[in-house]
Amino acid sequence: MASSLDDMEAYELLQIELDRSLQRFLPTLNDPSNKAQLQHFLNSWIEYICFVRHLWVWEDIEKEDTNKAFVDWYKNMMDELPSVSYVKDFQTFFKTT
């Protein structure tokens, strides 16, 4: 990681903003029974976007191909896959806050 904000890559700065937004998004979810799983899923999405793909351009992040590639990547790590609609919901939340 960079030693200062000036040294940070764009995807590292995006990761900070996404993490902050995720903390505001999680309390808005209606299903508290699987919040931990959803938090892991969305944290994994942030990791994939920022540190696997090094993306920071929002149009590239929202592409259907990017979401499909994330789902394939996530399936290789985990047995269960929450609904991908949560990624889209979080993307919408992030853009509007």
Side-chain angles (χ1 to χ4, degrees):
M1 298 266 327
S3 60
S4 74
L5 288 176
D6 292 337
D7 297 335
M8 290 181 117
E9 298 288 339
Y11 61 85
E12 291 175 310
L13 293 169
L14 176 63
Q15 182 261 331
I16 292 169
E17 292 303 315
L18 287 170
D19 282 343
R20 288 179 183 158
S21 186
L22 182 57
Q23 294 312 309
R24 292 188 309 270
F25 176 72
L26 290 172
T28 69
L29 297 176
N30 293 330
D31 186 5
S33 64
N34 67 349
K35 257 190 193 172
Q37 180 186 24
L38 291 174
Q39 183 173 5
H40 180 269
F41 180 64
L42 293 172
N43 275 322
S44 296
W45 177 77
I46 293 170
E47 174 188 351
Y48 178 78
I49 293 302
C50 296
F51 298 104
V52 174
R53 296 284 302 272
H54 299 118
L55 297 176
W56 66 89
V57 177
W58 199 252
E59 290 77 18
D60 293 337
I61 291 169
E62 285 188 307
K63 286 183 179 175
E64 200 58 43
D65 290 349
T66 302
N67 286 333
K68 182 183 177 332
F70 163 69
V71 167
D72 292 343
W73 177 81
Y74 191 83
K75 281 181 183 177
N76 285 328
M77 296 186 318
M78 303 299 291
D79 293 333
E80 290 186 46
L81 178 70
S83 173
V84 179
S85 68
Y86 287 108
V87 170
K88 295 202 178 279
D89 292 345
F90 179 57
Q91 289 172 346
T92 302
F93 180 85
F94 180 76
K95 285 188 330 189
T96 60
T97 57

